[in-house]
Amino acid sequence: MITHKITLIPGDGIGPEVIRATVRILEATGVKFEWESFAAGAEAFEKYKEYIPRELSESIERTRVGLKGPVTTPIGGGFSSINVELRRRFELFANFRPIRNLPHIPTRYPGVDLIVVRENTEGLYSGIEHEVVPGVVESLKIITEKASTRISRFAFEHARNNKRKKIHSIHKANIMKLSDGLFLRCSRTVSKEYPEITYGEHIVDNTCMQLVMNPYQYDILLLENLYGDIISDLCAGLVGGLGLVPGANFGHECAIFEAVHGSAPDIAGKNIANPTAVLRSALLMLRHLGEHDAALKIRNAIDEVYRDRSKLTRDVGGTAGTSEFADAIIQAMESQSSAGAGTERLLQ
Ligand code: NAI
C-alpha cells in the first residue's frame, strides 16, 4: 500500500480544529499518510521569522500535495496574504470550487451544481499598490494574456473531461475595457477550440443577481481573481454556507486543497466550526491521489451524518461540536464497512 506524503498547513483561527477533525477522518479510511506539518502566517513568523518558512516551501516542492487550513490576513496593514503568496509562489493558477448542495440541508435552491473556476495568480491580488500623494492611493490590476489563456484552458478542459455543458466568462469589460477586455478575449479565443461547450459572457454585477434569482442557468463560471473570490462566497450562501464549500488550488507541478472559508475568528477555539468544507476539500485531494474508494467511503458517511442530522454543527442547524461531528463521520464509515455497504452503494 502506498503512503502518501502530504504537506499539512493547519493554519490559524478555526484552522487547527477543522484540520484535526479532517485528518482523523482521513486516517480512519485506512489510506496511509505521512504528514509534514508546518505553521504559516503570524504563528510561523514568531517561530521562524518568516511567514512562509523555508521548510514549508521545501516540503511542498517535495510532496507536491498540500492540505491547508485558513490563515488570517491582517486587515488594512500588516503582512501580505500568505494564501495569495502560496498560490503565486507555486503557480497554483487554478482555484477550483465545486458548489453543490449536501442532501438534507434545506436551502432556497435544491440541486445546485456549478463550479467556480477562479484565476489565482494576478488581477488586483498582485498586491502592487502605493500612495501617490497623501490621500491618493493606486492599486494595479494586472491581467496577462498568458494567465488568462491558462485559466480559460483549465476551465474548458475540465468541462470537456467531465461532460459539463456551459462556461460563462464573468467580467466588467464595459468599464475595465483593457484588463477585463483582455481576459474576455482570451476566454473567447480558447472557447473556439471547444465547440461542444456552450460559451457565454456575463457582466459581474448582473451575475450576482442572476445567481441569486436562478443559479440553475450556470454550469461553470470562469472568473479573474477578485470576482472569483467574491462570487465564491455568494455561491457558498446558495448551498448552505461557508462551512460546506470545498476548494482546490491546482498548478502544473502541485496542488493545495483548502476550503473557501477563512479563519473565522468569531468562532475560533470553541469546537463549533464545521469541518465539512475542509473534509470535502480532502475528498478532492483523495481523488487527485487516486484514492477513489476512500473518497466514496467518506462521501457516503457525510451523506449518512447529514441525513441523520443529530450530529451536525450549529451553522447548519445542529448542536454538535467539531469533534463530535468527526466522531459521527468515523462511526458512519465503520458501520458502512461492517454492514458491507458494498460497491453498489459506493458507486451511486
Ligand atoms: P470567514 O470565512 O473566516 O468567516 C465568515 C463567516 O463564516 C463567519 O461568520 C464565520 O464564523 C463563518 N464560517 C466560516 N467558516 C466556517 C465554518 N467552517 N464553520 C462554521 N462557520 C464558518 O471570513 P472573514 O471573517 O471575512 O475572514 C477571516 C480571516 O480569514 C481574514 O483574516 C481573512 O483574510 C482570512 N481568510 C483566509 C482564507 C484562506 O486562508 N484561504 C480565505 C478567506 C479569508
Side-chain angles (χ1 to χ4, degrees):
M1 184 185 275
I2 306 172
T3 299
H4 298 287
K5 288 193 180 181
I6 309 286
T7 303
L8 191 69
I9 307 167
D12 52 39
I14 59 169
E17 301 164 64
V18 288
I19 287 282
R20 198 177 312 119
T22 301
V23 165
R24 280 180 52 219
I25 294 165
L26 286 170
E27 292 193 332
T29 61
V31 173
K32 294 268 172 280
F33 296 99
E34 198 177 303
W35 305 103
E36 299 187 3
S37 182
F38 298 94
E43 193 194 332
F45 194 78
E46 268 178 34
K47 256 196 232 160
Y48 304 98
K49 297 285 165 266
E50 280 180 299
Y51 293 107
I52 301 179
R54 190 169 42 85
E55 290 84 346
L56 165 54
S57 286
E58 287 170 358
S59 172
I60 294 174
E61 277 161 22
R62 211 172 32 246
T63 64
R64 295 173 185 266
V65 182
L67 179 63
K68 177 181 166 299
V71 178
T72 303
T73 308
I75 292 171
F79 60 88
S80 307
S81 166
I82 300 312
N83 314 304
V84 171
E85 177 53 26
L86 278 173
R87 293 164 188 167
R88 210 169 23 213
R89 190 175 293 185
F90 295 100
E91 280 212 83
L92 301 167
F93 62 89
N95 195 328
F96 175 83
R97 294 169 160 180
I99 312 289
R100 287 192 195 103
N101 295 86
L102 275 174
H104 318 293
I105 292 291
T107 56
R108 193 175 293 274
Y109 298 104
V112 171
D113 177 10
L114 58 92
I115 297 171
V116 170
V117 173
R118 163 186 174 192
E119 203 294 320
N120 234 357
T121 60
E122 55 179 31
L124 275 165
Y125 288 62
S126 303
I128 306 169
E129 49 179 21
H130 67 118
E131 190 175 58
V132 182
V133 290
V136 182
V137 163
E138 196 171 54
S139 286
L140 297 186
K141 172 165 172 162
I142 308 292
I143 296 286
T144 64
E145 186 177 337
K146 181 180 166 214
S148 306
T149 302
R150 181 170 67 174
I151 193 67
S152 301
R153 197 169 295 291
F154 176 93
F156 278 93
E157 277 297 303
H158 182 84
R160 175 171 279 173
N161 296 332
N162 294 276
K163 311 237 173 314
R164 310 286 305 206
K165 304 240 170 324
K166 252 190 295 186
I167 293 187
H168 281 86
S169 187
I170 308 303
H171 65 95
K172 192 77 189 172
N174 49 333
I175 305 298
M176 279 162 275
K177 294 176 194 297
L178 287 184
S179 55
D180 282 19
L182 174 58
F183 185 84
L184 214 47
R185 252 197 337 274
C186 295
S187 359
R188 255 179 229 162
T189 305
V190 172
S191 76
K192 303 223 162 42
E193 295 169 35
Y194 300 81
E196 77 278 21
I197 296 156
T198 307
Y199 172 71
E201 295 169 355
H202 278 174
I203 293 177
V204 64
D205 35 355
N206 174 35
T207 306
C208 294
M209 183 203 67
Q210 297 292 345
L211 277 164
V212 171
M213 301 281 287
N214 174 18
Y216 302 119
Q217 66 188 292
Y218 294 115
D219 187 358
I220 293 181
L221 297 172
L222 167 61
L223 314 98
E224 61 81 88
N225 213 338
L226 177 66
Y227 309 149
D229 194 0
I230 295 170
I231 294 275
S232 295
D233 277 35
L234 190 159
C235 288
L238 292 174
V239 296
L242 281 165
L244 302 177
V245 179
N249 303 287
F250 291 111
H252 291 307
E253 301 293 326
C254 48
I256 296 184
F257 297 83
E258 65 176 335
V260 172
H261 66 70
S263 55
D266 52 334
I267 56 166
K270 298 180 179 160
N271 189 39
I272 57 174
N274 189 346
T276 305
V278 170
L279 183 58
R280 290 172 103 190
S281 309
L283 292 191
L284 297 174
M285 180 182 84
L286 285 173
R287 296 203 178 101
H288 178 75
L289 295 171
E291 297 287 358
H292 298 284
D293 287 352
L296 284 166
K297 208 173 185 180
I298 296 178
R299 204 203 66 191
N300 284 339
I302 293 175
D303 283 0
E304 177 63 35
V305 170
Y306 273 87
R307 188 165 54 78
D308 173 72
R309 296 196 65 81
S310 68
K311 293 287 189 274
L312 298 184
T313 48
R314 290 178 194 193
D315 56 311
V316 286
T319 52
T322 311
S323 46
E324 270 176 283
F325 173 85
D327 292 341
I329 296 281
I330 293 168
Q331 211 170 29
M333 289 196 302
E334 281 164 4
S335 47
Q336 252 177 59
S337 327
S338 59
T343 19
E344 277 155 68
R345 178 148 182 254
L346 291 175
L347 288 174
Q348 272 169 21

